[in-house]
Amino acid sequence: MSNETKDLNNYHYTSSYNHYNNINNQNILNLPYVSGPSTYNANMISSQIGYDLQLSPQGVYESGFELSPSSTEFFNPSFDQQNDFHNAFNYNTSNKSQEVVGSGGAIIESETRISASPSSEADHHHDEDSGKSLGEREADDGGKYDQRAQKVVKTKKTEEKKQREPRVSFVTKTEVEHLEDGYRWRKYGQKAVKNSPYPRSYYRCTTQKCNVKKRVERSYQDPTVVITTYESQHNHPIPTSRRSALFSGPATSNYNSPVSDFIINTPRSFSNDDLLRVPYAAVNVNANYQQQQNQEFQNDYELLKDMFPSVFFKQEP
DNA sequence: CGTTTTTGACCCGCGC
DNA sequence: GCGCGGGTCAAAAACG
């Protein structure tokens, strides 16, 4: 209970999840517009969708609906970021290209949500706790740190920490738990998920000074999908050894975006055919960002259309 | 032998 | 204040 609320407030991980559920239970056609079964989530989503309908590039949603699938498999990537509109948008693009691992063909359904809450009060401390805690611990004592002393520090830092790293979450239909995204990750934890038989794994980018983390868990609602949540942004390009020779271009300009991971790497494993099956993409843009970045959004939108014409062509006037 | 994974313990905020 | 649950640490084990 508390968890759900917390997650929703902080980022839309849970919301995403919910969206996914909606799809499963109600039908992909209704996805973005239907208020989900979950009350709280539904409210959040619907309110944002309201903006989307007005501000997002027209047709994106509709396109999706028209193309609605008869499909058996689809993606429902969703994400939200608080401070990086570009990344968010790019991510949406990449969603479509998200590969389906181990399955014969898949319909990809993309839905993007951008959380624009400017402040991160909704935030959780968790994100940076790891780094901070660790640093403090080591700083205070060698091994065991003094908890009381730390608490004082924490209180102080907690304030600063309210700033949360942008997070991106999405659902991928795959049999593989840990999707290859080009970066190197080291697993640093695993926890059982409440009400789910599937554990949640925690990964950290192994590149020095890169504090990007990601969580991976399988949906208990639909074990065929995996929910991945990225946190923060890479401050380095994809490790050379892992980068695809076929698609190295975008890496330089987008490497700092978790979203870009997929743009960069997707081509390695998905084909044009996959793209053509993309039923639709939904872009949600928070009003706050919309105002500030509307222009850029338009530009990106154009870019998107170029990259994924199959997703947009139906919408074209 | 260096790196990654496993896994129980620990920390922390939140709700009750 | 306590318990819960998410998130992280870190020692040991596993891996290549």
Side-chain angles (χ1 to χ4, degrees):
Chain A
M1 293 163 60
S2 59
N3 300 325
E4 295 176 0
T5 301
K6 184 168 65 179
D7 282 344
L8 287 172
N9 284 327
N10 293 326
Y11 58 100
H12 302 170
Y13 173 80
T14 303
S15 299
S16 314
Y17 214 110
N18 235 35
H19 262 191
Y20 174 72
N21 293 336
N22 290 344
I23 295 171
N24 278 341
N25 299 330
Q26 302 184 25
N27 195 326
I28 198 168
L29 290 173
N30 299 323
L31 177 70
Y33 302 99
V34 175
S35 35
S38 159
T39 59
Y40 184 43
N41 293 334
N43 291 334
M44 275 186 73
I45 294 170
S46 57
S47 65
Q48 286 205 334
I49 288 173
Y51 282 121
D52 297 340
L53 292 175
Q54 296 180 340
L55 301 172
S56 64
Q58 298 82 1
V60 175
Y61 272 126
E62 297 175 10
S63 173
F65 296 133
E66 292 178 16
L67 290 173
S68 97
S70 48
S71 59
T72 53
E73 298 180 72
F74 57 84
F75 283 111
N76 178 35
S78 63
F79 74 97
D80 63 86
Q81 291 194 317
Q82 298 188 339
N83 297 312
D84 191 328
F85 175 85
H86 276 297
N87 288 341
F89 195 82
N90 286 336
Y91 185 69
N92 181 45
T93 303
S94 64
N95 284 342
K96 303 180 192 70
S97 57
Q98 184 63 42
E99 72 177 288
V100 175
V101 179
S103 61
I107 299 293
I108 300 172
E109 175 230 14
S110 300
E111 186 213 332
T112 298
R113 295 176 58 254
I114 298 171
S115 169
S117 359
S119 68
S120 18
E121 68 272 47
D123 252 35
H124 270 49
H125 47 293
H126 303 86
D127 307 336
E128 301 180 9
D129 276 355
S130 60
K132 178 181 70 177
S133 295
L134 182 60
E136 290 178 359
R137 292 178 185 181
E138 293 177 346
D140 288 342
D141 324 354
K144 291 296 176 184
Y145 47 96
D146 182 290
Q147 293 188 15
R148 283 172 183 66
Q150 184 174 11
K151 276 209 170 181
V152 178
V153 179
K154 284 250 174 184
T155 305
K156 190 189 300 176
K157 293 206 170 182
T158 298
E159 312 265 331
E160 310 169 5
K161 286 213 164 182
K162 292 250 173 167
Q163 305 259 15
R164 208 174 21 61
E165 297 294 328
R167 288 184 177 181
V168 173
S169 65
F170 57 90
V171 177
T172 305
K173 192 175 188 70
T174 174
E175 297 173 6
V176 179
E177 294 290 327
H178 192 185
L179 297 174
E180 178 57 59
D181 60 10
Y183 288 95
R184 299 193 61 185
W185 302 93
R186 180 170 57 203
K187 188 175 184 177
Y188 66 88
Q190 177 173 305
K191 286 282 287 188
V193 179
K194 192 176 126 185
N195 296 326
S196 172
Y198 306 101
R200 173 183 300 144
S201 296
Y202 299 87
Y203 297 88
R204 182 173 289 144
C205 182
T206 60
T207 300
Q208 284 192 329
K209 297 186 178 180
C210 180
N211 65 339
V212 175
K213 290 179 244 178
K214 76 173 178 180
R215 302 187 292 233
V216 179
E217 67 180 278
R218 190 166 287 284
S219 169
Y220 71 94
Q221 296 274 347
D222 182 353
T224 67
V225 304
V226 169
I227 301 155
T228 304
T229 301
Y230 283 83
E231 179 183 311
S232 191
Q233 300 179 3
H234 292 284
N235 57 11
H236 59 91
I238 289 178
T240 306
S241 60
R242 306 203 113 187
R243 188 183 295 184
S244 167
L246 293 174
F247 206 75
S248 57
T252 52
S253 58
N254 295 316
Y255 71 82
N256 63 331
S257 165
V259 168
S260 67
D261 294 0
F262 298 96
I263 295 176
I264 295 169
N265 297 294
T266 296
R268 292 178 309 179
S269 47
F270 95 110
S271 65
N272 290 334
D273 188 47
D274 290 327
L275 260 187
L276 293 174
R277 296 182 205 176
V278 175
Y280 68 83
V283 179
N284 294 326
V285 180
N286 179 297
N288 294 330
Y289 278 94
Q290 187 65 39
Q291 282 191 316
Q292 299 175 351
Q293 321 241 8
N294 193 43
Q295 183 58 51
E296 291 175 281
F297 183 94
Q298 292 299 326
N299 295 336
D300 282 343
Y301 176 58
E302 294 302 317
L303 178 61
L304 259 186
K305 289 194 292 187
D306 291 339
M307 296 177 69
F308 303 97
S310 64
V311 178
F312 296 89
F313 76 94
K314 284 229 171 185
Q315 290 289 110
E316 293 301 300

